[in-house]
Amino acid sequence: MNKLKTIFIAALFETALVLCVGCANLLLKPIYYFFFYNVMYGILFSFLIPLFLLRKEENVFNFLGIKALGKKQFLILIVFVAFSVGGQLIPIMIKGGTIPWNLLPIGVVPLIMTTFFEEFLFRGFFQNKFETEFGSISAIILSGLMFSLYHIGYPGFRTFEDILLLFAVGIGFATAYKLSGNNLIVAYFVNLPNAFVTYMLKFDQFPKMTLSSTIAGIATLCIIIVVFIVHFRTNRNKR
């Protein structure tokens, strides 16, 4: 019963994410995009609802894998970042291609925000849930699958090839998370440089990054920080 419940919840979340991201990319006015992407997809479904579902956990931060980095975690982080970033940049550099670094500044804050939502939900929340019910290997596969399929909401990532590639990438993030001892910080900082590079090389497939998206991203990150502070203090007072 618990296994079916977990799969059902995952399916509901995945459907909600695709709908929210899809609406955000269909209704491109900044206010609509902010509502469906930052608020609905991000703050509500990728952050607040998972936190609420974990309210009975004795230590939510431990469950999510929010903990300090050790030598092992740093090593895994370096290896995975070198592989993911180098695998994209080195072939282009060898061929003498141009890397559009000028695109990066406007994408930094939105990508920092989106990467947090992805790792918090797919790794911190669902991968741990899946591991409890189905074991480590299945958890890695299911986490990677959810990560790839939610990108269907983005018009630029709906081809079979893109979803398959994102599945492989999601498996990599999930593996880094598991090998590091379920450390969400490792998964986040493996994902983030990869997101930066992917954006620069495939910027035409991403939603258009603007000053308004940066401002919205800053506001969203401030909300996340406030919620974390309140949650931390509440947990500390309970002990």
Side-chain angles (χ1 to χ4, degrees):
M1 183 60 70
N2 285 337
K3 291 182 179 180
L4 288 175
K5 181 180 178 182
T6 301
I7 292 296
F8 179 70
I9 291 173
L12 285 180
F13 267 82
E14 192 79 340
T15 301
L17 296 183
V18 171
L19 288 174
C20 289
V21 173
C23 287
N25 287 282
L26 179 65
L27 306 170
L28 291 176
K29 288 186 177 181
I31 186 63
Y32 295 139
Y33 194 92
F34 174 76
F35 176 75
F36 284 106
Y37 194 79
N38 295 61
V39 177
M40 296 297 290
Y41 152 69
I43 295 172
L44 185 61
F45 286 107
S46 298
F47 184 52
L48 291 183
I49 293 180
L51 268 183
F52 175 76
L53 293 176
L54 294 175
R55 66 192 182 281
K56 294 182 180 180
E57 291 289 332
E58 289 186 10
N59 192 320
V60 172
F61 295 98
N62 280 346
F63 178 89
L64 292 168
I66 301 175
K67 45 195 168 184
L69 301 178
K71 292 181 180 178
K72 174 185 175 182
Q73 285 74 37
F74 274 114
L75 177 61
I76 290 170
L77 178 58
I78 291 169
V79 169
F80 274 81
V81 169
F83 179 78
S84 64
V85 174
Q88 294 186 78
L89 294 183
I90 291 174
I92 295 175
M93 295 169 69
I94 290 176
K95 294 178 181 179
T98 301
I99 300 168
W101 298 102
N102 60 297
L103 295 173
L104 186 56
I106 199 67
V108 166
V109 174
L111 291 172
I112 287 173
M113 178 194 71
T114 300
T115 300
F116 169 79
F117 290 141
E118 290 177 349
E119 294 310 309
F120 189 90
L121 182 65
F122 298 124
R123 252 61 69 184
F125 183 71
F126 274 115
Q127 187 166 337
N128 283 322
K129 288 284 189 183
F130 290 144
E131 184 164 342
T132 300
E133 299 296 336
F134 305 104
S136 300
I137 301 300
S138 296
I140 290 172
I141 294 171
L142 289 170
S143 173
L145 183 62
M146 286 190 71
F147 171 78
S148 65
L149 291 180
Y150 111 90
H151 283 83
I152 292 173
Y154 297 94
F157 291 93
R158 289 177 180 166
T159 67
F160 177 76
E161 291 79 8
D162 280 325
I163 297 301
L164 187 61
L165 177 61
L166 286 164
F167 176 58
V169 171
I171 291 292
F173 297 157
T175 301
Y177 179 63
K178 178 59 183 176
L179 291 177
S180 67
N182 290 14
N183 193 309
L184 194 63
I185 296 174
V186 170
Y188 179 79
F189 283 104
V190 167
N191 188 341
L192 188 58
N194 182 78
F196 289 154
V197 173
T198 303
Y199 169 63
M200 288 188 296
L201 300 182
K202 299 182 179 182
F203 67 92
D204 56 327
Q205 292 179 243
F206 281 75
K208 187 178 179 181
M209 304 288 188
T210 63
L211 178 60
S212 63
S213 61
T214 296
I215 294 171
I218 291 172
T220 303
L221 289 171
C222 288
I223 292 171
I224 292 169
I225 291 169
V226 169
V227 171
F228 264 131
I229 291 172
V230 171
H231 204 276
F232 177 77
R233 288 181 177 177
T234 301
N235 279 4
R236 186 175 59 181
N237 292 336
K238 287 181 180 178
R239 297 175 187 175

